[in-house]
Amino acid sequence: MYHIEFDIAAVFLTLFIAYYIIFKKGIRKHANRVFLGMIVINFIAEISDIFGSLANNYPEMTTEVIKDFWNYLYISSHNTLAYVLVVYVFYLIGYEKSKRTLLLISATPFAAEMAILFTNPFHKRIFYYDEAGKYLHGNLFFIIYAIALAYMIFAIYLTIRHRKGISSSITKALLFFISITFVPVVIQIIFPEYLLTLFFETIGLMGLLFTIESKEETINPTTGALNRYALNGALDRAMVNKGNVLLLIKIPNLNYYNKMIGFDNMNGILRRISQWMDETFKDYVAYDCGRGHFAVLCEGITDAEIALIREKTMSRFEKAWGKGEFSLVFPVQFGVIHLLEDVKTLDDVFMLIDSTFDGKVSSDLDVQKAVYKYERGVLIERLIDKALKNKSFEVYYQPIWNSNEGRFTSAEALCRLIDSEYGVIPPDEFIPVAERNGSILDIGLFVFEEVCRSYQEERLKMLGIEYVEVNLSVVQCLSKNLMRSFDEILNKYQLSAERINLEITESATTENQKVLYDTIEVLKNSKFSFSLDDYGTGYSNISYMYEMPFSIIKIDKSILWKAKDPVSGESEKNGYIYLENTIHMLKEMGYSVLVEGVETVEQKMLLEELGCDYQQGYYFSKPIQKQVFTDFIKVVNT
Ligand code: C2E
Ligand code: MG
Ligand code: MG
């Protein structure tokens, strides 16, 4: 006699779960749909188990056809559930195209099992009925168990293997679901007539429902923190009265770090950051708004408390996150939004959350400016993509005057983005955007290759151009593949690295020193030479200068202009002394000195007096197209 009471209870639970997901508003993701599929299959299994058992209990009251119908339906649906569980785990860990084959391969045991099951009428090895019409298992029935068991083990394996990419509450719920299905197996050894399996599975599904399905929309699965939908709801409430504050904590360039250490590792770090926020800002709620942008909603907070949070954040971010090889120090940006004062609408709040700040740290928000900057940033990202796709970036050259030899011995390569619709986008505008979204890596390689090709094709060496200066973003220096790509390009054009001088700006030097030094070391060993760009504008960092193998220091035009203004010819107070001493100091330290922004003959003469080695500026030439540049050099250098 089979006892169907538990199955009946399970049916009601299943109906409740189905009601809950179907009538709950929210975004439907693949994983949700698969979950709904699991519920439906579970329901079919329960119904068929009930009717199948009744038919088996009272064989004399039914026909074999009816019994068959329910038994086949039960076994097939119940075993489908095991495979769908695996599919579900695939979606939770992030299903991508690359996993499609694995998913298909893992369907083969299921297909084989179904083939054996549905050929049962011929071989009767799965189940059969005795003379009295009693339902009995055949000698191959164990295959059904074995395959279900194998899928469960596979699901456990996948969950544990990819736990880095799933939040811990989801991992726990999955493992709970899988392990609870083992309980009835044990009980049924003792009480084989109690049909407990589906009941326990339904309990497990409920566990899943409450941790995953109900939270999925408000929890970011990678960090386990509340997400922007949750924030949206909270802001609705918080933006009724003035006095509430939203703190923004952002890691710029997340995409770039993703590329550098990989998604899994970066997700692990983000999770740690959000845990740290939970522990540190206990009184307030932290939200993960994606892309490394976090927001902390503080109701009834004082300025002193804000200052304290800021202090704690800044000092924590001075230390590395993550462990071992993948540990990183991030710059962090901190912003304070006084709700209903700085911003009036939810849209504006989210715009500020998504936008990236200028500078390293910012607590002043100008919404108008931020809106403009955000939209402009989005446009520029699009134009960069387009230009990369169409290879429409251009490289201009600005000749560099060698005062000692009285001719042009080098040039600086400067990248140009000229869009057919939007005109010229200045590098000062698109380079920072490209650094943020990582496309600087592609732009940098494009410029490098373009320079190498031109150097070779235009025979610049013969024209007296000994090397070309190429700007190198620090973001490029953090890329592990940089050297290999440079090598390949140099080989392709049969060029020696001595023909390239890499310019690095001073301001770019404070973060990730170690990786930067390592890259520079490798580049140096392959004979590249280096210039320090924009000297005098950044946070002068002498130890940095000592440790890096610079041969040329490029003094920024602002220093020259303070010594001799290009328009008035005047010198600001102490401007001349500063320039004179800077040049002398650098020369005594053994560097060659280049001054940028030379616009007048007076400036040129002044620099010659001061013993400056190289000069660059509009007085000699603006940055010009390659062809114009070679023609120019041909005329002036020969
Ligand atoms: P930078 O490397 O300091 O380049 C010098 C900038 O000063 C250039 O601006 C140049 O056109 C300008 N300049 C040169 N002589 C004079 C002058 O006499 N007067 C004035 N007022 N300006 C002068 P540009 O081309 O707009 O580039 C701006 C910055 O964008 C560059 O500063 C560099 O940091 C960055 N950049 C340009 N191309 C690239 C590139 O291919 N890769 C990277 N990473 N950065 C680049
Ligand atoms: Mg430069
Ligand atoms: Mg410069």
Side-chain angles (χ1 to χ4, degrees):
M1 235 9 176
Y2 292 108
H3 293 268
I4 58 171
E5 292 83 347
F6 282 99
D7 268 345
I8 292 172
V11 167
F12 284 103
L13 281 181
T14 308
L15 286 175
F16 166 72
I17 298 174
Y19 168 84
Y20 191 85
I21 6 182
I22 293 170
F23 293 99
K24 192 179 51 135
K25 285 193 282 299
I27 19 146
R28 289 268 160 262
K29 295 219 216 99
H30 285 303
N32 285 61
R33 273 187 242 131
V34 179
F35 188 77
L36 190 58
M38 281 166 69
I39 299 296
V40 172
I41 296 166
N42 189 49
F43 183 74
I44 297 173
E46 284 158 0
I47 296 292
S48 50
D49 199 20
I50 291 173
F51 285 100
S53 308
L54 285 175
N56 294 336
N57 284 349
Y58 308 102
E60 67 288 353
M61 291 171 69
T62 54
T63 65
E64 197 165 313
V65 176
I66 293 176
K67 278 192 291 185
D68 270 346
F69 173 79
W70 292 117
N71 286 327
Y72 282 113
L73 189 60
Y74 168 68
I75 299 174
S76 58
S77 57
H78 201 175
N79 282 276
T80 306
L81 199 59
Y83 175 61
V84 176
L85 172 69
V86 169
V87 177
Y88 184 59
V89 175
F90 263 100
Y91 278 112
L92 280 184
I93 60 180
Y95 170 80
E96 310 130 10
K97 285 228 171 65
S98 61
K99 291 191 185 126
R100 187 182 284 166
T101 352
L102 190 56
L103 197 56
L104 283 177
I105 294 173
S106 58
T108 28
F110 173 66
E113 165 187 33
M114 288 299 135
I116 300 175
L117 175 64
F118 287 104
T119 49
N120 184 57
F122 308 106
H123 53 68
K124 308 267 188 214
R125 300 233 166 154
I126 300 293
F127 67 85
Y128 59 96
Y129 308 101
D130 64 11
E131 285 94 2
K134 191 165 181 258
Y135 169 88
L136 291 167
H137 286 169
N139 58 2
L140 285 186
F141 193 85
F142 74 93
I143 289 180
I144 302 284
Y145 280 134
I147 288 177
L149 186 68
Y151 277 129
M152 312 258 252
I153 291 171
F154 189 40
I156 293 177
Y157 163 76
L158 284 175
T159 310
I160 292 177
R161 161 100 209 273
H162 293 274
R163 66 187 179 285
K164 267 188 173 180
I166 323 176
S167 85
S168 61
S169 63
I170 295 181
T171 311
K172 278 183 211 145
L174 266 175
L175 296 178
F176 167 74
F177 170 69
I178 298 167
S179 45
I180 202 167
T181 55
F182 286 109
V183 175
V185 175
V186 178
I187 300 181
Q188 281 185 309
I189 292 175
I190 312 166
F191 307 106
E193 294 185 341
Y194 283 88
L195 303 174
L196 289 165
T197 329
L198 283 161
F199 180 72
F200 275 84
E201 280 168 15
T202 311
I203 301 268
L205 284 173
M206 276 188 76
L208 270 178
L209 173 76
F210 289 126
T211 40
I212 304 174
E213 298 303 315
S214 64
K215 275 190 181 172
E216 188 174 48
E217 285 148 20
T218 52
I219 294 271
N220 182 323
T222 46
T223 55
L226 289 163
N227 67 13
R228 53 199 299 138
Y229 300 101
L231 178 61
N232 196 76
L235 281 174
D236 257 345
R237 279 168 264 130
M239 283 178 73
V240 175
N241 300 313
K242 281 190 184 175
N244 296 327
V245 165
L246 190 71
L247 304 177
L248 303 183
I249 297 171
K250 302 183 183 181
I251 301 162
N253 297 336
L254 187 70
N255 259 358
Y256 168 68
Y257 294 112
N258 276 336
K259 278 188 194 159
M260 186 171 151
I261 62 168
F263 272 99
D264 272 4
N265 296 307
M266 195 58 212
N267 283 344
I269 288 182
L270 287 175
R271 191 152 60 240
R272 213 157 293 153
I273 291 176
S274 90
Q275 279 162 3
W276 175 84
M277 287 185 185
D278 278 345
E279 289 156 16
T280 317
F281 315 140
K282 279 204 184 66
D283 296 341
Y284 309 109
V285 186
Y287 296 84
D288 174 357
C289 301
R291 301 210 309 174
H293 294 184
F294 293 90
V296 186
L297 181 58
C298 309
E299 302 186 49
I301 191 171
T302 63
D303 285 349
E305 286 166 325
I306 295 178
L308 190 67
I309 291 190
R310 181 192 172 123
E311 168 62 34
K312 278 186 185 165
T313 309
M314 293 329 237
S315 58
R316 177 60 189 86
F317 274 83
E318 274 165 19
K319 288 180 281 175
W321 295 94
K323 287 192 199 115
E325 190 189 348
F326 297 117
S327 80
L328 280 179
V329 181
F330 302 105
V332 66
Q333 298 173 320
F334 193 92
V336 182
I337 309 177
H338 294 272
L339 298 172
L340 292 178
E341 291 169 43
D342 299 327
V343 288
K344 301 278 183 290
T345 66
L346 263 180
D347 279 353
D348 284 345
V349 176
F350 277 101
M351 185 276 304
L352 290 172
I353 290 173
D354 291 331
S355 70
T356 32
F357 287 122
D358 283 324
K360 281 193 166 30
V361 177
S362 165
S363 44
D364 315 311
L365 287 170
D366 177 338
V367 176
Q368 227 72 45
K369 209 170 113 195
V371 173
Y372 171 77
K373 208 185 142 242
Y374 176 67
E375 288 172 352
R376 180 85 180 159
V378 172
L379 170 72
I380 289 177
E381 282 192 347
R382 192 159 61 76
L383 299 183
I384 291 174
D385 281 351
K386 190 166 112 187
L388 278 173
K389 214 183 287 152
N390 304 339
K391 296 200 188 312
S392 62
F393 276 110
E394 275 196 63
V395 177
Y396 278 38
Y397 295 84
Q398 186 176 34
I400 293 174
W401 178 254
N402 185 325
S403 312
N404 306 326
E405 297 188 21
R407 61 188 182 97
F408 296 98
T409 50
S410 60
E412 176 170 7
L414 292 155
C415 187
R416 295 289 176 261
L417 172 54
I418 304 167
D419 186 80
S420 51
E421 202 179 326
Y422 292 90
V424 178
I425 313 289
D428 288 330
E429 201 176 2
F430 75 78
I431 298 284
V433 174
E435 286 180 332
R436 270 200 298 273
N437 78 0
S439 54
I440 188 70
L441 299 178
D442 298 327
I443 299 177
L445 284 184
F446 175 83
V447 171
F448 188 84
E449 172 149 19
E450 188 52 36
V451 167
C452 292
R453 179 191 306 120
S454 304
Y455 195 90
Q456 201 57 293
E457 284 177 3
E458 304 294 330
R459 302 177 188 283
L460 294 182
K461 178 98 205 324
M462 311 259 280
L463 298 178
I465 300 299
E466 284 155 18
Y467 58 91
V468 176
E469 303 199 352
V470 175
N471 291 284
L472 190 67
S473 159
V474 75
V475 174
Q476 289 175 274
C477 293
L478 301 181
S479 151
K480 298 227 156 72
N481 298 328
L482 183 73
M483 193 57 235
R484 188 154 33 91
S485 316
F486 277 5
D487 256 350
E488 278 167 17
I489 295 172
L490 287 174
N491 279 337
K492 183 166 165 192
Y493 298 99
Q494 294 290 305
L495 215 64
S496 152
E498 288 163 50
R499 301 290 151 231
I500 304 290
N501 175 288
L502 298 168
E503 293 187 7
I504 301 173
T505 63
E506 197 183 7
S507 59
T509 55
T510 39
E511 301 131 19
N512 291 305
Q513 296 279 22
K514 170 93 176 62
V515 190
L516 182 70
Y517 288 160
D518 291 350
T519 312
I520 300 292
E521 191 60 28
V522 176
L523 289 167
K524 188 186 90 176
N525 291 337
S526 348
K527 294 206 174 137
F528 283 101
S529 62
F530 297 90
S531 298
L532 176 59
D533 205 354
D534 302 336
Y535 179 87
T537 55
Y539 329 64
S540 288
N541 181 341
I542 290 291
S543 76
Y544 170 70
M545 249 174 71
Y546 289 157
E547 289 190 44
M548 303 274 274
F550 295 120
S551 47
I552 302 174
I553 308 293
K554 301 186 77 170
I555 298 178
D556 191 70
K557 59 175 173 290
S558 58
I559 292 180
L560 170 65
W561 290 8
K562 280 182 186 135
K564 195 173 259 310
D565 189 273
V567 181
S568 65
E570 305 274 291
S571 167
E572 256 180 46
K573 185 163 177 274
N574 292 337
Y576 178 82
I577 300 174
Y578 188 71
L579 176 68
E580 180 186 34
N581 284 290
T582 306
I583 294 177
H584 282 168
M585 176 190 76
L586 292 172
K587 286 191 67 88
E588 259 178 46
M589 290 167 123
Y591 296 111
S592 296
V593 176
L594 184 155
V595 175
E596 296 184 290
V598 181
E599 295 196 351
T600 64
V601 67
E602 288 81 13
Q603 287 179 328
K604 174 184 182 246
M605 278 154 53
L606 169 68
L607 291 170
E608 261 156 28
E609 243 169 66
L610 295 178
C612 166
D613 305 285
Y614 300 99
Q615 302 187 29
Q616 180 181 353
Y618 295 172
Y619 171 75
F620 302 99
S621 165
K622 289 198 166 182
I624 41 182
Q625 275 176 314
K626 176 176 71 182
Q627 214 46 62
V628 185
F629 170 73
T630 29
D631 293 346
F632 173 83
I633 291 295
K634 270 182 203 153
V635 173
V636 295
N637 260 11
T638 47

